[in-house]
Amino acid sequence: MLTVDLTNPYNFVETFQAADQVGKTQKMTDAGKNNQTIAGVNGNFWIVPGQNQPAVLLGIPHSGSIKNGEMITDPNGWNRGRSKDQKELLQEIGFAIIDKQKRIWIDDFGFDGKVEIPKMGSYPIAQVNRIRKEDELVFYNSYLGEAVTRSNDEGTEVVVKLVRGQKWQVNKQVICEVTKIIKNKRANPLAPGEYMLSGIGKASLFL
């Protein structure tokens, strides 16, 4: 148990992703060395070997995680249980959230993101930094790290960057500009400052 004075501007609490990259694992002691951490908590639940999950997803949270306004993974239906018709989530799960005023909130939350293209409409973002499924649009960001987008040789991948003055944040619109369009080519890497919209099926047609 810790007592922390969060009115001290040098004290803060934040989440972290192992090695700052989805698909990686890291010892708690090694993670703490990188940012002068004085205490840490292993935040379950994340994907480990033996859970019948693709190896590229090793180490990422089963549900949602956000750091400084940038999503690591999206909140999803994991471990919630669903009704027989699969339309209703039957139980909540807990998230700890710290806002800009360093206030802590413990509650459930979900994800509702979309891509809007002027004069072309919008399309929902199905997942963040996970594996693309039929007709899905998946968003990949800096937490993809040195890995490549998780796609096959079908679909469309659009590389974007933030418009000057923009930053990643939740519950806000973020404006980007397109720098590259890649069609029917698998596993594309991201350079620093690049982000990817990856679509297949209907999502590919939209992009």
Side-chain angles (χ1 to χ4, degrees):
M1 183 175 292
L2 298 173
T3 300
V4 182
D5 179 11
L6 290 182
T7 64
N8 183 328
Y10 295 101
N11 294 340
F12 60 93
V13 181
E14 68 178 12
T15 187
F16 75 95
Q17 170 63 33
D20 287 325
Q21 181 177 332
V22 293
K24 297 277 189 178
T25 59
Q26 188 177 30
K27 294 180 179 179
M28 289 285 296
T29 49
D30 291 338
K33 293 176 183 177
N34 297 335
N35 53 14
Q36 297 181 314
T37 301
I38 62 171
V41 177
N42 186 9
N44 256 343
F45 293 94
W46 43 276
I47 294 173
V48 298
Q51 293 181 335
N52 196 29
Q53 296 283 344
V56 294
L57 298 182
L58 180 69
I60 74 171
H62 275 288
S63 192
S65 183
I66 300 170
K67 181 177 180 179
N68 295 330
E70 187 167 3
M71 297 187 68
I72 301 172
T73 52
D74 53 288
N76 57 25
W78 176 81
N79 204 33
R80 295 172 183 262
R82 287 183 178 270
S83 57
K84 289 183 179 180
D85 60 8
Q86 298 295 307
K87 293 182 178 180
E88 182 183 1
L89 293 173
L90 299 179
Q91 64 187 27
E92 297 181 341
I93 58 178
F95 295 86
I97 307 156
I98 298 177
D99 64 20
K100 293 179 180 179
Q101 287 73 43
K102 296 187 177 181
R103 296 174 300 186
I104 188 167
W105 306 80
I106 298 178
D107 205 342
D108 194 3
F109 71 99
F111 173 68
D112 181 18
K114 62 183 177 181
V115 176
E116 293 184 334
I117 301 175
K119 300 181 181 180
M120 293 296 294
S122 64
Y123 200 94
I125 297 174
Q127 304 187 74
V128 177
N129 290 327
R130 301 184 194 271
I131 296 176
R132 191 184 67 184
K133 299 175 183 177
E134 186 61 30
D135 292 329
E136 283 189 349
L137 194 159
V138 177
F139 177 66
Y140 296 103
N141 60 21
S142 63
Y143 286 100
L144 196 66
E146 300 172 355
V148 293
T149 55
R150 292 156 183 155
S151 58
N152 53 25
D153 278 331
E154 298 177 6
T156 302
E157 297 198 318
V158 176
V159 181
V160 300
K161 66 178 183 179
L162 290 170
V163 170
R164 181 176 294 182
Q166 293 285 297
K167 64 179 181 179
W168 294 111
Q169 49 191 333
V170 295
N171 299 326
K172 298 285 185 180
Q173 184 183 62
V174 179
I175 302 174
C176 299
E177 61 183 1
V178 174
T179 61
K180 189 188 307 181
I181 299 175
I182 304 167
K183 295 184 178 181
N184 301 321
K185 181 178 179 295
R186 73 170 62 229
N188 295 294
L190 285 177
E194 289 184 338
Y195 307 88
M196 184 83 78
L197 300 168
S198 179
I200 192 170
K202 295 178 182 178
S204 176
L205 293 175
F206 172 77
L207 291 176

